[in-house]
Amino acid sequence: AITAAVAGDAVIVCPGTYVENINFGGKRIIVRSTAPEDPAVVAATIIDGGAAGATVTFSGGEGPDTQLSGFTITNGSAANGGGIRGRNTTYDYRTSATISQCVITGNQATGTGTGGGLWRCAGLISKCTIQNNTAPDGAGLHDCTGTISDCTIAGNSASYRGGGLYACSAELRQCVVTQNVAVSGGGGLAQCSGRMLDSLITGNLSASGGGLYNCAGPAINCNVLGNTPSGVSVSTGSMSLQNCIIRENRTDQIMVSGGATASIAYSNVAGGWAGQGNLDADPQFAMSGMML
């Protein structure tokens, strides 16, 4: 259907398991399930990459009118971008396709590759669950530069850096980054430079920077809670946080070393932190959980 489609077409896919590796080839088309807003339909409409390459590949030339929506994307295995590969290696640019309401799970980047879930996507990634993917770096996402909004990034595992996200400059909005693991640095996020807004980074694990590791930020209105060992770790460059809650991380709330800089303002930091408007107080979370 993708091969036959022309610009402006929609390919609408009935529930089922499709063992294949699809390639948009630069086309301005929509590929979606019958009901992307229905989690049961998303769970039942599966593209299985058969461990034979990236499950979904974009040429890199697609714009935001190209859309992928409402699928479970799984069992992709590639050197870069096991689940969704946002750039064909022939090109030097990345897809700006819109990816929404997908579950991207159980994919891997092999060898020394990066981006188990998604690799080099520059468009809007919205209302997706990115979970249980693996890679040496960036098990969830690597080198994504667009906007990541209203997503859950959970349970991804990196054998080196960035369990959730690595080297992404995308803006992170209203996301939950939780239960990700990286052996070396950045259980949640490592070396990311995009803004983080209204997001929750919690329960992530790494040898350095359980929550955020060498991220430039800034982080605004975010909760960094219950990460191991530290909530925020900065050893190079600088990190800016404003209106954040940084508490309940296992050893250090904020760890700064190597001449790096952390600018913290109007935030609630357990143990206190020098900076304008900072405080150390019980945030009195409700039983329903933290701000998302």
Side-chain angles (χ1 to χ4, degrees):
I2 293 171
T3 301
V6 297
D9 281 350
V11 176
I12 301 172
V13 182
C14 290
T17 298
Y18 303 86
V19 181
E20 58 182 325
N21 307 86
I22 66 171
N23 192 323
F24 276 75
K27 291 187 174 184
R28 185 172 61 83
I29 60 175
I30 295 170
V31 179
R32 67 170 178 86
S33 66
T34 56
E37 71 285 352
D38 185 339
V41 171
V42 174
T45 312
I46 301 164
I47 309 175
D48 184 325
T55 302
V56 178
T57 297
F58 292 96
S59 75
E62 300 86 357
D65 290 341
T66 299
Q67 298 178 35
L68 174 70
S69 183
F71 292 94
T72 294
I73 296 164
T74 190
N75 200 22
S77 180
N80 297 297
I84 298 177
R85 187 182 182 91
R87 191 201 77 167
N88 189 300
T89 53
T90 306
Y91 301 94
D92 291 329
Y93 43 86
R94 306 159 195 207
T95 187
S96 294
T98 301
I99 301 166
S100 65
Q101 294 173 305
C102 289
V103 175
I104 302 157
T105 183
N107 303 284
Q108 65 171 332
T110 60
T112 58
T114 59
L118 298 97
W119 181 73
R120 293 193 173 177
C121 295
L124 173 63
I125 302 167
S126 175
K127 298 180 180 178
C128 291
T129 297
I130 302 158
Q131 65 183 17
N132 300 332
N133 302 286
T134 60
D137 286 324
L141 305 95
H142 173 243
D143 203 8
C144 292
T145 60
T147 298
I148 304 167
S149 176
D150 300 283
C151 291
T152 297
I153 302 163
N156 302 285
S157 180
S159 58
Y160 192 28
R161 298 167 295 189
L165 301 92
Y166 174 66
C168 291
S169 58
E171 183 169 277
L172 197 73
R173 298 178 183 170
Q174 294 181 308
C175 291
V176 177
V177 182
T178 185
Q179 302 298 320
N180 301 285
V181 176
V183 171
S184 180
L189 298 91
Q191 294 177 220
C192 293
S193 57
R195 292 200 308 167
M196 292 165 273
L197 306 173
D198 304 303
S199 293
L200 171 63
I201 297 109
T202 184
N204 302 286
L205 170 66
S206 179
S208 299
L212 304 169
Y213 176 71
N214 283 345
C215 292
I220 302 169
N221 299 333
C222 292
N223 288 341
V224 185
L225 307 169
N227 301 283
T228 302
S230 58
V232 178
S233 178
V234 189
S235 60
T236 61
S238 61
M239 177 74 192
S240 171
L241 298 98
Q242 183 173 329
N243 297 337
C244 293
I245 297 175
I246 308 162
R247 304 186 70 86
E248 300 173 6
N249 300 288
R250 183 167 180 180
T251 55
D252 299 284
Q253 307 309 312
I254 303 168
M255 178 180 290
V256 179
S257 61
T261 303
S263 173
I264 319 293
Y266 301 102
S267 294
N268 185 344
V269 183
W273 191 267
Q276 187 173 14
N278 291 330
L279 55 86
D280 176 7
D282 183 351
Q284 299 183 8
F285 290 125
M287 287 185 67
S288 59
M290 287 71 79
M291 171 197 70
L292 302 182

